[in-house]
Amino acid sequence: MTYVSCFYHAFSGAQKAETAANRICKVLAVNQENEHLMEDYEKLASDLLEWIKRTIPWLEDRVPQKTIQEMQQKLEDFRDYRRVHKPPKVQEKCQLEINFNTLQTKLRLSNRPAFMPSEGKMVSDINNGWQHLEQAEKGYEEWLLNEIRRLERLDHLAEKFRQKASIHESWTEGKEAMLKQKDYETATLSDIKALIRKHEAFESDLAAHQDRVEQIAAIAQELNELDYYDSPSVNARCQKICDQWDVLGSLTHSRREALEKTEKQLETIDQLHLEYAKRAAPFNNWMESAMEDLQDMFIVHTIEEIEGLIAAHDQFKSTLPDADKEREAILGIQSEAQRIADYNNIKLSGNNPYTSVTPQIINSKWERVQQLVPKRDHALLDEQSKQQSNEHLRRQFASQANIVGPWIQTKMEEIGRISIEMNGTLEDQLNHLKQYEQSIVDYKPNIDLLEQQHQLIQEALIFDNKHTNYTMEHIRVGWEQLLTTIARTINEVENQILTRDAKGISQEQMQEFRASFNHFDKDHGGSLGPEEFKACLISLGYDVENDRQGDAEFNRIMSLVDPNNSGIVTFQAFIDFMSRETTDTDTADQVIASFKVLAGDKNYITAEELRRELPPDQAEYCIARMAPYQGPDAIPGALDYKSFSTALCDTNERVRQTSSWLGGVWDAVQINDILD
């Protein structure tokens, strides 16, 4: 018990010590935190007051800059201050007040005396400094804007001064040299008169620029009054302009006196120069036109055109003697003017002022005209010979083309007539057509000859031929159509023979088919339109009237005779249709019955039975195409002859006997022909 009691007292003392230590630590932590807040306040207040102290002088600095760019930079710096630098300081000021209030509250709760900042760092001191800052800021911004507006006004005036001064200086550039030159000393009278008129225009221009000089001086004076920073250079430039203006006035007066004095000395010689110019210019133009005409690249296509050019050239050559007399008279005027100048010791300044046509030019061009005349003669004669040769080629081609063209047209008509008429048997028509084909082939050398003549025409660049309406292209197309038509017609007759022999159609039936087709082929084009074909079917007894059933039947028949929907029915398609309609055909049932006999009444047939009963090639044909039999009684290798027979025969074939109505149709056709 004694030990236990000792332990109890020992542990109880240790717990009291720990409690006391915790309390001390807590008090120390609060005190340390308060001291930390006090230090933060002091530092933040010092920094903020220091920033305000630095910023207020910058905002109160109202020294204007010389240029608007410098003032705009100040404005931009002020805007950066408002956007970038001031907002963080506003946050610092707010945080400073929050920290101060928080510190005072903590001190009051811990029964500590209130915090007193250092002198000059009270919240009120900071607020007073901040208020002073904002007042300086407001006045600074207003001063910046006013100063910028003032500099803009000065810059505008300065730029206006520079523009007007530059325009004036640009205008005066070279004017002194122009007024000092003595170009009138070697000028002609016309030059002098032109110079006087030009000088008068300059004097008017000079007077007009007086107003600009006065404006320049007025702007310079205003810039001086507004204390423009670059006024010395403005004043120097203005003085230079005014001094130059006085010099220009003096030089202008002196030049006018010199021009008027020189004008009187050249009037006599000028009259002769004027007379020379009046006559030289038209004569020079005549020679230039003559040279142009003599060198003109003529393009003619007929004998008449070249003969017209030769006649015009002969007419021109007849005018050359009179032209030579005019040339000598014009040169005499120039010689007289030079003689007078030499006699009076007058030094002519150069060429005639009224014209650039000198005697040397006239003589040179006249010599050129003399050289071009025989060259033109030779060129016209060569072209005349060429056109005569071209005319011969035209007539030669036209003579041959006027024979070949009608011959091709005649053969085309004869072939069409043979294909429509029903003279003799199909074999007779075929032989007749082959004879025509041979005659066409034999005619080929005439086409070749025409091609050779056309080649010569092309090489001669002949583009028209009034002697014929046929071109080589027309002949080629007609020849190709002729060859195509005879070949197609022969093929149609051969197909008709094959159809007749395969279907067992008699010659009389074939002629009846042709008669029926030709009757409704009103334009003899070798084909029937839908309405013509329908009329033909109606005359043959088909029920294709304009009702639903008739339209359906007609559409079915049209799908057979015109599977490509071309809108026409050829005679071959008509024969194929009629042969199907008028010829007995084996039906699928008949073929099935025949195979059933070979199969011994079975529903299938074997390959051995087919090979035994049919020729080898036909047996193999059936074996290769028959499907395997699938019925319940099927055996290995059984073949389905029923499906094969159905596919082999068209079960929709219409079997019609024509012996009863063909004769009636033929009679109807003949009666219609009589009525027509």
Side-chain angles (χ1 to χ4, degrees), residues 130-144:
W130 191 265
Q131 185 177 6
H132 186 195
L133 174 72
E134 290 185 340
Q135 290 176 352
E137 177 183 309
K138 181 178 180 181
Y140 186 68
E141 181 178 17
E142 183 177 355
W143 171 77
L144 280 175

Side-chain angles (χ1 to χ4, degrees), residues 299-545:
I299 299 177
V300 295
H301 301 94
T302 64
I303 290 290
E304 293 77 11
E305 290 178 354
I306 190 61
E307 288 177 350
L309 291 177
I310 291 174
H313 183 62
D314 292 339
Q315 177 65 28
F316 167 75
K317 289 192 292 185
S318 66
T319 63
L320 291 178
D322 292 338
D324 191 29
K325 293 179 180 179
E326 176 66 13
R327 179 183 66 87
E328 293 177 353
I330 292 171
L331 295 178
I333 295 174
Q334 178 66 21
S335 299
E336 179 65 15
Q338 186 65 44
R339 187 189 66 80
I340 295 174
D342 294 341
Y343 181 79
N344 294 286
N345 296 321
I346 297 175
K347 194 171 189 178
L348 296 178
S349 60
N351 296 327
N352 192 317
Y354 297 109
T355 179
S356 60
V357 181
T358 64
Q360 293 79 11
I361 292 176
I362 292 177
N363 287 329
S364 176
K365 290 183 178 179
W366 177 255
E367 183 178 354
R368 180 61 177 160
V369 170
Q370 296 298 313
Q371 294 172 353
L372 291 175
V373 168
K375 291 183 179 180
R376 184 73 170 184
D377 289 335
H378 186 267
L380 290 172
L381 291 176
D382 287 346
E383 185 63 27
Q384 185 181 35
S385 176
K386 176 184 174 182
Q387 290 303 322
Q388 289 173 349
S389 175
N390 289 351
E391 183 66 14
H392 173 71
L393 292 176
R394 287 192 186 95
R395 292 182 181 275
Q396 182 178 338
F397 177 84
S399 176
Q400 182 70 7
N402 289 336
I403 296 174
V404 173
W407 184 87
I408 293 175
Q409 183 64 30
T410 301
K411 290 300 178 184
M412 289 286 291
E413 294 173 356
E414 291 176 355
I415 293 170
R417 211 165 36 245
I418 292 172
S419 64
I420 294 175
E421 294 175 353
M422 299 175 292
N423 297 328
T425 64
L426 291 175
E427 286 76 4
D428 294 338
Q429 296 179 26
L430 182 61
N431 291 332
H432 198 185
L433 287 170
K434 288 186 176 179
Q435 292 174 3
Y436 263 89
E437 185 180 29
Q438 185 59 44
S439 67
I440 292 171
V441 172
D442 295 339
Y443 199 77
K444 182 64 165 56
N446 294 284
I447 303 298
D448 296 337
L449 176 60
L450 202 59
E451 285 284 4
Q452 295 173 4
Q453 295 171 351
H454 179 67
Q455 179 66 26
L456 295 176
I457 284 178
Q458 285 188 321
E459 292 174 357
L461 300 179
I462 300 173
F463 303 106
D464 58 349
N465 193 341
K466 66 180 180 180
H467 303 296
T468 181
N469 292 326
Y470 294 100
T471 65
M472 195 63 229
E473 186 63 27
H474 294 155
I475 297 297
R476 291 192 191 109
V477 173
W479 178 254
E480 292 170 0
Q481 288 179 346
L482 180 61
L483 294 176
T484 303
T485 301
I486 187 64
R488 184 173 60 247
T489 306
I490 290 174
N491 180 255
E492 289 178 355
V493 174
E494 290 174 343
N495 289 337
Q496 292 173 24
I497 293 174
L498 291 174
T499 303
R500 180 198 65 188
D501 295 342
K503 300 298 184 179
I505 302 174
S506 65
Q507 180 65 30
E508 290 76 14
Q509 287 178 314
M510 187 64 72
Q511 290 180 346
E512 289 172 355
F513 291 158
R514 169 57 76 180
S516 298
F517 188 87
N518 289 345
H519 175 73
F520 290 98
D521 185 12
K522 299 299 184 182
D523 59 355
H524 303 294
S527 62
L528 299 178
E531 294 301 324
E532 293 174 334
F533 182 59
K534 178 181 282 190
C536 182
L537 291 176
I538 293 173
S539 70
L540 296 175
Y542 282 82
D543 185 14
V544 290
E545 297 292 343

